[in-house]
Every structure is written in structure tokens, then in C-alpha cells.
Amino acid sequence: MTSANDTTGTGLVFHDRYLQHNTGLARSGSPAVPYPYADPEPHVSSPRTVSRSKHLIDLSGLGEQLTAVAPRYATEAELATVHDRAYIARVRAIAAQGGGDAGVNAPLGPDGFAIAALAAGGAIAAVDAVLAGTVRNCYALVRPPGHHAVADHGLGFCIFNNIAIAARHAQRTYGLQRIAIIDWDVHDGNGTQEAFYADGDVLFVSLHQDGLFPPDMGLLEQVGSGDGVGKTVNVPLPPGSGDAAYAAAVERIVSPIVRQFAPELLLISCGLDAGAFDPLGRMNLSSLGFRELTQAALALAEECCGGRLVVVHEGGYSQTYVPACTLAVIETMAAAAEPWPDPMLTRLLGTRTRREVGLDAERTITDAITMQRAYWRL
Ligand SMILES: [Zn+2]
């Protein structure tokens, strides 16, 4: 890794402690039901996808081009910009008692409070590095993820809402007003949506698989409330949408809205579970599709806010494909001269959803445009 003060470079936040976050063993269906086989299986949100992503970053040589950005522990006051004090105390108590569930399927072990605070602090450190000009953009490869966590409980493997806490940090510490968050995790970023639902200063745009998780969240008609009306944008794409539908949704909805909102900082909730082969998603994105999403984000950041872009790792569960897609995102951010050749890509380039927007996806995009035309020129 290069040293600091490289204002044109890309930063990477990582800490070995992220791999110590212990989600336990796999359960079948309900978290209360044990896995039915004798040989133990790791939890679907095991450390493996993040550790392999870091491994591939280093193995590919990309790591040498990145600036290491050290995470720190988010303070209680920082966590409390998004979460209730009672919830923060509860997570601390659960960890002190040896671990448990911070809400609904949000497991943590005895070190879980500290590690979750280090994940939130990793997103904060990425914002600091970009806003201080140490790097041009920054990827926070943190664990546990955050975008499902709401004010008073954890949800879907998320303990604290890392990206929402980072957005509040950017406003409070640097006096920024308008921040845009794009969430391309295959699940809806319900926690982030909820944190800013009535806030006109934070634009939240979510591309996700329709009807997946959580139930009844990320709906087209959820557009914000009060001062925040029109500042929540949901594009619930049908299963199987693929690269072409994502590119069309970005070109026709996401980019024009972000451009008109004109943020002072762009944040991305980067789930890799819309990737092909993911056991929890059915969106069939290729690593090239992730490169294209990242290029669109870079172009928006360039146009609106001097290239200031912070990308925060969220979900992603394919042990073989998440590392390739994570690498594709960071290589694009760093404008890597020789991208690592994704061995799975040739198979995906031939799929129809690489080239064509399906009829159902086209209908969703059209419906989202109709819904958002009340607030934006589309
Ligand atoms: Zn997800």
C-alpha cells in the first residue's frame, strides 16, 4: 500500500478484527431451527466472503496501489446519531454476556459490540479520508454489514447502520448538508431508508430485488415523508433482472435524480449479493455489471462533488463470486490498469440479461419513473 497524502488515490479500510465477528453456525430457515446435518456449516454471513475479498485484493496486486485507511471505533455519541441509547446499551450487554441476537437474525459473539463499533468507525474513517483529501475515494471493507439495522434493533446480520452513521458524521463534522446514498445490495436498505425517511437533506436510492427482504420494505410508493418527501427512491427490480436492467435503471432513474439533487458527498451501500451465484439473491449481475455500476457512481461523484465517493461493504454470500465482484468495484474506483481476469465472466457475458432489459424489469423502471416524476425531471 502507498502512504497517505495521495489525493488522487483510492483508500481501503480493513481490519483483521472484522473477521472475528462471530455469527455462529448455519440455521435452516428460522434462526431457531438447527441445521439438520451432523457436519457443521458456517452461518451464511460468515467471515469467508470478506476474508477472501481481502485476499484477492492482495493477490491481484491491487492492494499495492491502495492507500490503507485505518478504522477506529465509533463512539457511543456517533452510534447514537442513528440508534437509540437503550439499543446501544443492549448490544453492549448482549456481547458482555457472551453473545446473542441484537434483534431479528443479527447474531453477535462476545466481541460483537466492539467489532460492530469498529465497522461503523470504518465507514467514518473512509468519510474522513475522502473529506480530508487524503484519498480521492475510499472502499470500507467492513463487517458486520449495516443497512438493515434500525434505531432500536439489529436485523438481517446488521448490528449498527454503518453508512447512516457515516452520513451523519459527514454532516456534523464537516458541515455538509446534502448527501446522497445509493444502495445496490440485493436486499432493501430498510434501516437507511428509515433513518432518513423524513430528512430532506439525505437522498436515499435503493436498487433491490422486489419482495425479497425485509417484507413490505423498499416499495415503489415509499417516497419519504414530511421534509423527506421525494428523497426516498425505490426501484424494486424483478428477480433475474441482470446487468442490462441495472444499467437502464441507473441511466434513466438513479443518475438523473442524483444529478438534480446535487449532493456534496456520494455514499454507496455496496452489497455484492445481486451478483450471479449468490445463495440469497437472484439478480445475476456479473463482475462487469458491478464495474458499470461503479463507473456510474464515479461519474456522478465527479460531476456533483469533486469525485468524493465512499463505498461501504454490505451483504454478499457467494463464497466464490463475492471476492471477484468486490475486486471489480475497487479496481474501477482505482482505475486499475490491468483488471484481474474474472474466470466466471465468460459464462455470464452470454446471458440474455447482460444484453436485454426484460419486460418485467422495463415495467418496474417505467413505474418508478412515473412515481418519481412528482419530484424530479425524468
Ligand atoms: Zn443483502
Side-chain angles (χ1 to χ4, degrees), residues 180-267:
I181 302 174
I182 301 173
D183 185 325
W184 64 51
D185 188 283
V186 79
H187 305 100
D188 174 54
N190 64 291
T192 316
Q193 171 174 312
E194 203 170 301
F196 304 113
Y197 204 60
D199 187 333
D201 289 334
V202 178
L203 173 71
F204 177 68
V205 185
S206 180
L207 297 166
H208 51 266
Q209 183 178 320
D210 185 29
L212 187 57
F213 182 83
D216 301 321
M217 289 299 292
L219 307 181
L220 209 61
E221 55 271 26
Q222 292 169 347
V223 296
S225 66
D227 291 344
V229 169
K231 302 302 190 310
T232 291
V233 179
N234 282 309
V235 188
L237 291 163
S241 285
D243 291 354
Y246 271 76
V250 167
E251 187 187 329
R252 292 161 62 187
I253 304 170
V254 180
S255 292
I257 289 177
V258 171
R259 222 174 267 135
Q260 288 165 52
F261 180 74
E264 295 157 279
L265 174 66
L266 179 58
L267 307 179

Side-chain angles (χ1 to χ4, degrees), residues 147-148 185-187 273 315 317:
H147 74 150
H148 293 310
D185 188 283
V186 79
H187 305 100
D273 40 12
Y317 306 97

Side-chain angles (χ1 to χ4, degrees), residues 81-82 161-169 181 191-192 195-196 267:
T81 58
V82 171
N161 196 315
N162 307 321
I163 202 163
I165 292 164
R168 286 293 181 226
H169 172 74
I181 302 174
T192 316
F196 304 113
L267 307 179

